[in-house]
Amino acid sequence: MPGGELKMHNISQNSPEGGNGTKYNEFSINVPPHESPPDGDYDPHTHRVLDAPTTNNETLIHLLKGSLGTGILAMPKAFYQAGLLIGTIGTILIGFLCTYCLHVLVRSQYILCKRKRVPILSYPDSMKIALQEGPSGLRMFADASYVIVDGFLIVYQLGICCVYIVFVATTVKQVADELADPIDLRVHMLILLLPLILINYVPNLKMLAPFSQVANFITFAGLAITLYYILQDLPPVSSRPLVGEPRNYSLFVGTTLFALEAVGVMLALENNMKTPASFGGYGGVLNKGMVIIVFLYVAMGFLGYVKYGELIAGSVTLNLPQGMLAQSVKLIFAVAIFITYALQAYVPVDIIWRTYMKQYHSHKNKMLIEYILRTAVVLITFVLAVLIPRLELFISLFGALCLSALGIAFPAIIELCVLWPDQLGTLNYVLWRDVFLVVIGILALVIGTSISVNDIIVSFQ
């Protein structure tokens, strides 16, 4: 964590020895990148040095809070784009796909750490080393992959933060407009700027855990009240189409990916666990969290669309009626999403500070520089949110652009390279499975991004 609260042993991009050695901070392995020392009994999990590790329960709390944000409130809109049947099946399939790919990524990272005898590897480090050890035709992309993965992670997390600013400001405006003369949405964003900067100064995940717990509690309370309103005088299911317009399926996929996939936060949570072996596995933290999340997403999407039909807004809370209780629900979600902003902003700050600002780690004004970085991240997301205050299109764009790569294609590429060439299973089934996932990820990226960008352009005309 920036500021020195969390010691994570990342790979430097250039070996100081000048040969083929790869430098892992205090660990050095003098072998060519495509070779590996014997695994032995080395267990990366037992060699992690963490100043503020999180427990399994704290990790589950963070996981739920990281996924139960604006995404679940956008699911009725996603079901409107796909139809009830396609929306239900599609959400379950995308949830399974996201969870599976996260397992693939975490498992592949563990294998690489075991081979290199280092306690931890970041996502871009894992991609770089995997490509170095994979098929010869992919090794030329190893160095570039580091920056590409970092770029996708940073852009995606900044995109989430933009969505959160738009959501909180829009929600507060809707409530405030009932109590006083309406003011411009951007003014509400400006009022939020200082509180967002201050909450982004919280230094590590351990200190964020109590905030996440509070946010989880009020989020579940808000979801319960929202479902109460949705279930009042619910129209018959037959009043809504089972299948939506095919052109809108990519928007559904982008929105659902955005809602379900939080790869940057997931990896940060696994990296900061006291018992990281408990993250994966059939009964692990990841599976427990994702089962709860997918169930809630399907329920909210299905019932919300049945209730409001074509009138559904980018966030279902914006469809709630006037009244004290409904207005309080909107404020509940605004507070919860405001708190979650700090969790999402943690990832780009951590990446930029640890990878691209290493020269300042020993600077006498280290803390001041770090807080300038944290402030800059908030300012960037604020400016983007002011320029493009289109909530549902923002969500779909960043889901299609970043998560199709980060959550689907890149984990498959890493696994393929890690298991290359003699661990690909019977008839190379791992090869064909991973190639299929890469194709799915590329199609989702290209088609979803192009349609989302076009819709954003049209919305300004």
Side-chain angles (χ1 to χ4, degrees):
M1 185 65 199
E5 292 79 13
L6 172 63
K7 298 177 183 176
M8 298 174 66
H9 306 287
N10 291 326
I11 301 176
S12 63
Q13 297 184 51
N14 301 304
S15 170
E17 290 86 10
N20 288 323
T22 305
K23 184 70 175 176
Y24 298 78
N25 289 351
E26 60 264 72
F27 302 95
S28 181
I29 301 175
N30 294 307
V31 294
H34 61 278
E35 297 179 12
S36 302
D39 293 351
D41 296 326
Y42 183 85
D43 183 0
H45 291 162
T46 62
H47 288 77
R48 291 185 181 179
V49 181
L50 303 172
D51 287 341
T54 53
T55 65
N56 290 356
N57 286 337
E58 288 172 338
T59 302
L60 182 60
I61 288 169
H62 278 313
L63 191 155
L64 292 174
K65 189 69 222 78
S67 296
L68 293 177
T70 54
I72 190 170
L73 302 177
M75 286 308 297
K77 186 72 172 184
F79 270 62
Y80 162 71
Q81 293 159 344
L84 291 177
L85 179 62
I86 300 297
T88 301
I89 297 174
T91 302
I92 294 173
L93 290 178
I94 292 174
F96 174 81
L97 180 64
C98 292
T99 305
Y100 174 77
C101 288
L102 280 168
H103 278 293
V104 166
L105 180 56
V106 171
R107 185 169 62 243
S108 299
Q109 286 185 316
Y110 181 82
I111 295 172
L112 286 174
C113 287
K114 194 173 178 68
R115 286 180 186 174
K116 299 303 182 183
R117 305 183 75 84
V118 293
I120 203 165
L121 289 173
S122 67
Y123 197 164
D125 288 332
S126 302
M127 176 66 89
K128 180 178 179 179
I129 297 175
L131 287 173
Q132 288 174 340
E133 300 185 352
S136 58
L138 297 179
R139 292 174 189 168
M140 69 180 74
F141 303 108
D143 289 336
S145 70
Y146 192 98
V147 177
I148 291 172
V149 173
D150 263 351
F152 271 110
L153 283 170
I154 292 171
V155 169
Y156 170 60
Q157 294 298 144
L158 292 179
I160 292 179
C161 292
C162 293
V163 170
Y164 282 10
I165 292 174
V166 174
F167 174 85
V168 174
T170 303
T171 302
V172 171
K173 173 178 169 55
Q174 193 177 63
V175 174
D177 286 353
E178 295 298 317
L179 304 175
D181 294 334
I183 59 176
D184 190 80
L185 176 64
R186 291 171 175 82
V187 176
H188 286 283
M189 292 183 186
L190 184 61
I191 295 172
L192 287 171
L193 182 57
L194 180 59
L196 288 170
I197 291 174
L198 294 177
I199 197 172
N200 201 35
Y201 286 169
V202 178
N204 59 42
L205 289 177
K206 187 74 173 179
M207 293 182 66
L208 277 175
F211 292 97
S212 287
Q213 194 160 10
V214 171
N216 269 341
F217 176 78
I218 61 178
T219 296
F220 279 112
L223 288 175
I225 299 172
T226 301
L227 285 172
Y228 165 78
Y229 276 107
I230 288 175
L231 293 173
Q232 298 296 312
D233 301 319
L234 194 68
V237 173
S238 59
S239 64
R240 309 299 179 208
L242 297 178
V243 179
E245 292 291 333
R247 180 193 178 279
N248 293 330
Y249 288 172
S250 64
L251 297 176
F252 163 78
V253 171
T255 302
T256 308
L257 272 176
F258 179 93
L260 286 171
E261 182 68 89
V263 62
V265 171
M266 297 289 191
L267 292 180
L269 294 177
E270 193 272 345
N271 289 344
N272 284 277
M273 286 184 69
K274 183 184 298 183
T275 56
S278 302
F279 187 77
Y282 291 110
V285 173
L286 176 59
N287 281 356
K288 289 178 181 177
M290 290 304 290
V291 166
I292 296 171
I293 289 165
V294 170
F295 173 78
L296 291 174
Y297 276 41
V298 170
M300 182 63 74
F302 189 98
L303 296 174
Y305 177 44
V306 170
K307 173 67 174 181
Y308 297 110
E310 295 182 356
L311 300 178
I312 190 66
S315 169
V316 68
T317 55
L318 301 178
N319 289 99
L320 297 182
Q322 303 303 322
M324 181 81 65
L325 183 60
Q327 300 296 72
S328 67
V329 171
K330 296 173 186 178
L331 291 178
I332 281 174
F333 278 113
V335 172
I337 297 304
F338 171 80
I339 294 173
T340 312
Y341 179 95
L343 179 62
Q344 301 295 349
Y346 166 89
V347 177
V349 169
D350 187 59
I351 292 172
I352 296 170
W353 178 255
R354 291 192 162 278
T355 305
Y356 303 101
M357 298 184 69
K358 291 179 180 178
Q359 68 272 28
Y360 297 110
H361 289 193
S362 57
H363 196 280
K364 64 178 181 179
N365 294 320
K366 170 186 174 182
M367 186 164 292
L368 174 62
I369 296 171
E370 179 189 341
Y371 281 102
I372 290 174
L373 169 63
R374 290 172 176 271
T375 304
V377 166
V378 178
L379 291 175
I380 290 171
T381 58
F382 169 77
V383 171
L384 289 174
V386 168
L387 292 176
I388 314 177
R390 303 290 195 274
L391 183 62
E392 67 272 16
L393 297 180
F394 241 141
I395 290 174
S396 181
L397 172 62
F398 284 105
L401 176 63
C402 298
L403 292 177
S404 52
L406 290 172
I408 301 175
F410 289 172
I413 292 173
I414 291 175
E415 182 186 50
L416 173 60
C417 292
V418 167
L419 300 181
W420 183 270
D422 55 359
Q423 301 179 56
L424 298 175
T426 306
L427 300 177
N428 291 329
Y429 80 91
V430 175
L431 169 65
W432 300 115
R433 181 188 65 199
D434 287 339
V435 168
F436 174 75
L437 290 175
V438 171
V439 171
I440 292 296
I442 292 174
L443 287 176
L445 188 154
V446 174
I447 298 175
T449 301
S450 60
I451 291 179
S452 295
V453 169
N454 179 71
D455 286 349
I456 289 175
I457 293 172
V458 170
S459 71
F460 280 97
Q461 293 177 349

